[in-house]
Amino acid sequence: MELNMRLESNAAIQIQKPIEDVFEGIVNPEKMTKYFISESSGRLESGKEVIWKFPEFEDKFPVKEIKIENNSSISFVWDLETVVIITLEKLPDDSTIVRVNENGKELNEDNLSWALENSGGWANFLACMKAYLEYGIQLRKGAFEFMRKR
């Protein structure tokens, strides 16, 4: 019997903001550019495709197959081998748990490295989002300048 194992990258955080604010912080490019991306061609909406640019990279990244469930989940494809699923859970104290799962790559040495890097990347995304949504702090600003191609 051959196992067809798929890798996953996971991260989660609790944000002390209502679920509606957190959801808007993810789908609205004006907010996302404060903590994650430098540019977006538009708002994340079901069935739409947008292009993201990051401040430290020259490349632009198409975000496809977007599926939105208002105040509940956001999913998209930006790597043809994986799907990103962001889920939101409202807590009784009006805070929100945000979980990110990116999955689909086959288990091999290169993809194992990918899973470890992306888990850290999504944890960084969540920490930056928390800092911005709760305190207006832009943690990502200047954080990855060393990664720019010279």
Side-chain angles (χ1 to χ4, degrees):
M1 180 169 90
E2 184 179 314
L3 292 177
N4 188 7
M5 296 186 63
R6 300 284 179 193
L7 292 169
E8 293 187 36
S9 172
N10 290 291
I13 203 164
Q14 184 171 340
I15 297 179
Q16 306 301 310
K17 288 290 181 180
I19 199 167
E20 299 83 6
D21 293 353
V22 176
F23 177 81
E24 187 66 14
I26 298 169
V27 299
N28 183 337
E30 290 180 25
K31 294 186 184 281
M32 279 192 93
T33 57
K34 304 291 194 259
Y35 69 87
F36 185 51
I37 55 177
S38 60
E39 298 174 28
S40 176
S41 64
R43 183 180 178 86
L44 294 179
E45 296 175 345
S46 290
K48 190 174 174 182
E49 181 177 316
V50 299
I51 305 293
W52 282 349
K53 177 143 181 16
F54 292 84
E56 62 273 11
F57 303 114
E58 292 298 318
D59 297 340
K60 293 185 178 185
F61 299 86
V63 179
K64 304 175 180 186
E65 297 180 37
I66 300 169
K67 295 178 187 163
I68 304 291
E69 291 183 36
N70 202 32
N71 297 328
S72 177
S73 72
I74 298 110
S75 68
F76 57 86
V77 171
W78 66 351
D79 168 345
L80 296 179
E81 295 179 68
T82 65
V83 175
V84 175
I85 303 166
I86 303 171
T87 56
L88 307 177
E89 178 185 344
K90 181 178 181 172
L91 296 178
D93 67 355
D94 213 21
S95 65
T96 305
I97 297 176
V98 183
R99 291 183 177 87
V100 180
N101 170 277
E102 186 170 6
N103 66 74
K105 288 192 184 281
E106 290 186 32
L107 176 59
N108 63 42
E109 193 171 321
D110 288 341
N111 289 344
L112 188 56
S113 177
W114 164 89
L116 293 170
E117 283 183 26
N118 274 28
S119 291
W122 286 118
N124 181 270
F125 161 81
L126 292 171
C128 290
M129 181 169 56
K130 179 178 179 69
Y132 175 70
L133 293 178
E134 288 184 11
Y135 306 102
I137 297 169
Q138 296 184 24
L139 288 180
R140 190 174 176 96
K141 187 175 183 179
F144 299 103
E145 294 295 318
F146 68 94
M147 295 177 70
R148 285 184 187 261
K149 291 181 182 178
R150 299 181 203 284

